[in-house]
Amino acid sequence: MKLSKTVTGRIVVGFTAFCAFSAVAAVAWIMGTIIWGGHSHISWAFLSQAPTEGMTEGGIFPAIFGTFLLVVIMSLVGVPVGTITAIYLSEYVNRESKLAQIIRFAVNTLSGIPAIVFGLFGLGFFIQFTGKNLDRVFSPDALHWAQPNILWASLTMALLTLPVVIVSVEEAIKTVPRELREASLALGATRWQTIRRVVLPGSLGGILTGAILAVSRGAGEVAPILFTGAAYFLPQLPTHFSDQFMELGYHVFIMTTQSTDVEKTLPIQYATTLVLLALTFTLNFSAIALRARLRRRRMAA
């Protein structure tokens, strides 16, 4: 007996609605568990002090500061490089050319590489190769760059988020009508002037979307910074690019795997995770608010 089209349509709608509700329920359950387990441990002292007593007392301010600094440096490097690459692929190189295919293959390959591999690459290239050569040239008698630090960790994270930025910005550039480019060129503008005054303003929302996705991806990753900069216990704040740093995700990882009493540190783990989520949401919402403001200003103009 065949089902009618109406019944089949209702089954499909119901199944898809159930899957969507399951995803929302899973997120709500996870968030509720974290908030319930960590809200009682959140205090001003916890947010503003350095850890003490083997990280079982004190606060997590060095980890908050290190995470924020990591995300900022990562975004300042990754977003411009990803945007320039997307502009080159969309506006300068022929889509069917061999060079474009090689670049796209490299981008797709980067997006599929496990995060831990980026960490090993950062250790080998930035620390063992670049850092050692910098120390050999500028400070032969001291060790500055041939060791894990926040700069190498940020550059490694920028490489990790680069495919996300490239794809999102390129898709945003494609939404700018071709007629606007042709009109600009017909009026005597150069290709770069057209990109700067027509294409980039029209795709600014997509560029900020790429930045938002990069922050979301980079703030919670731990594997790439295991070998490139994160420290187990470092109460003082990093003051130079060559300093190591504490990071919230790595802090949670250490508390859950290296603690002698996991049950005792469980409230700290929940509270640290809650702070990490709050920091990530704050950075994301700031970028979203900036994007909305720029869109309103552009529409008003």
Side-chain angles (χ1 to χ4, degrees), residues 30-31 33-35 37-39 41-42 46-47 60 63-64 219-220 247-253 255-256 265-281:
I30 294 173
M31 293 295 298
T33 303
I34 294 172
I35 294 173
H39 77 281
H41 204 78
I42 299 293
F46 182 74
L47 298 176
I60 57 171
I64 297 174
E247 199 263 349
L248 289 170
Y250 185 69
H251 186 68
V252 175
F253 171 75
M255 298 290 284
T256 55
T265 61
L266 196 59
I268 302 177
Q269 298 172 31
Y270 278 123
T272 304
T273 304
L274 183 59
V275 172
L276 175 60
L277 291 175
L279 179 61
T280 304
F281 290 158

Side-chain angles (χ1 to χ4, degrees), residues 5-30:
K5 292 183 179 180
T6 303
V7 175
T8 303
R10 289 178 178 176
I11 292 174
V12 172
V13 171
F15 180 73
T16 53
F18 172 76
C19 292
F21 175 78
S22 299
V24 175
V27 173
W29 178 265
I30 294 173

Side-chain angles (χ1 to χ4, degrees), residues 19-134:
C19 292
F21 175 78
S22 299
V24 175
V27 173
W29 178 265
I30 294 173
M31 293 295 298
T33 303
I34 294 172
I35 294 173
W36 179 261
H39 77 281
S40 61
H41 204 78
I42 299 293
S43 65
W44 177 248
F46 182 74
L47 298 176
S48 60
Q49 294 180 1
T52 58
E53 301 296 331
M55 295 193 298
T56 59
E57 300 291 340
I60 57 171
F61 180 71
I64 297 174
F65 182 82
T67 304
F68 178 79
L69 196 59
L70 173 73
V71 170
V72 170
I73 299 175
M74 172 198 73
S75 301
L76 291 177
V77 175
V79 174
V81 173
T83 301
I84 293 171
T85 304
I87 291 173
Y88 179 74
L89 290 174
S90 301
E91 302 296 325
Y92 284 100
V93 69
N94 187 350
R95 188 176 182 84
E96 303 301 327
S97 67
K98 201 69 175 179
L99 179 59
Q101 294 177 4
I102 292 174
I103 296 175
R104 294 183 191 282
F105 174 77
V107 172
N108 293 333
T109 303
L110 279 177
S111 63
I113 294 177
I116 189 67
V117 178
F118 282 95
L120 293 174
F121 170 79
L123 174 64
F125 179 74
F126 291 124
I127 298 176
Q128 297 295 329
F129 178 72
T130 307
K132 280 188 175 180
N133 287 326
L134 287 175

